[in-house]
Amino acid sequence: MKVFIDPPNSLILFDLVERFGHEPLSTMAALQERIDNIEVDMPPMNVTLDDVVRGLKYAGIEVPSGVRGRLAVWGPMIEEADAAIIVDDPPFSFGCVGCERSELMVKYLIKRRGIPMLRVPYPNSEEEGKVFVGQVKEFLEGLQ
């Protein structure tokens, strides 16, 4: 199954989803396609006019361009996802969590899709980390 991870560039979640036999939908893979595409000649300028238009599907023109840009990348992944894992209250160093408006829209789009979703708190200790991995493992093993 395809599992959207939030934060979408979390290497920890990417690895866990892959280890349990699912396909992680992440920012890294989506941007790799854009960077490898001849249409984009200089990363990090990895947004095309089509991406800007695509972003309007998820957020109106009055929404800041950064939010629309993120949603242009993440929105199609959410539509493609069979399930999602969301980490609540992560620190800024854990994936892309710098834009609260984008995060709210991502959570809304996932909820609106009605796909299986796991919300786990960010672990702040070794014991919480073990619980975190156990919850992710149990969720992923339950997907069919």
Side-chain angles (χ1 to χ4, degrees):
M1 293 185 90
K2 296 180 179 185
V3 180
F4 180 78
I5 56 175
D6 182 44
N9 62 343
S10 167
L11 295 175
I12 295 166
L13 287 177
F14 187 96
D15 182 60
L16 286 171
V17 169
E18 215 171 40
R19 282 179 192 242
F20 291 104
H22 300 285
E23 179 183 341
L25 299 175
S26 69
T27 299
M28 293 85 69
L31 292 183
Q32 181 66 40
E33 291 172 17
R34 286 167 172 75
I35 291 169
D36 289 345
N37 186 337
I38 196 142
E39 202 177 312
V40 178
D41 12 322
M42 50 185 264
M45 303 299 281
N46 50 17
V47 177
T48 66
L49 180 58
D50 290 338
D51 292 326
V52 174
V53 172
R54 196 174 307 121
L56 289 171
K57 177 179 179 180
Y58 306 101
I61 192 72
E62 70 282 353
V63 172
S65 60
V67 174
R68 277 195 324 275
R70 287 177 183 93
L71 293 176
V73 175
W74 300 339
M77 290 189 298
I78 292 169
E79 289 179 6
E80 185 182 351
D82 300 309
I85 299 174
I86 298 172
V87 177
D88 289 324
D89 300 321
F92 283 120
S93 60
F94 185 83
C96 181
V97 294
C99 179
E100 183 62 24
R101 295 291 177 233
S102 297
E103 287 297 308
L104 291 172
M105 281 301 295
V106 163
K107 289 174 176 89
Y108 169 74
L109 291 172
I110 292 169
K111 184 177 179 181
R112 190 173 75 177
R113 281 279 328 276
I115 58 178
M117 174 177 51
L118 172 67
R119 291 187 76 156
V120 290
Y122 181 83
N124 291 303
S125 67
E126 184 176 339
E127 189 57 40
E128 289 176 5
K130 290 176 184 177
V131 170
F132 173 90
V133 171
Q135 289 174 320
V136 171
K137 177 182 185 274
E138 183 179 327
F139 176 74
L140 293 171
E141 288 178 341
L143 295 177
Q144 296 187 26

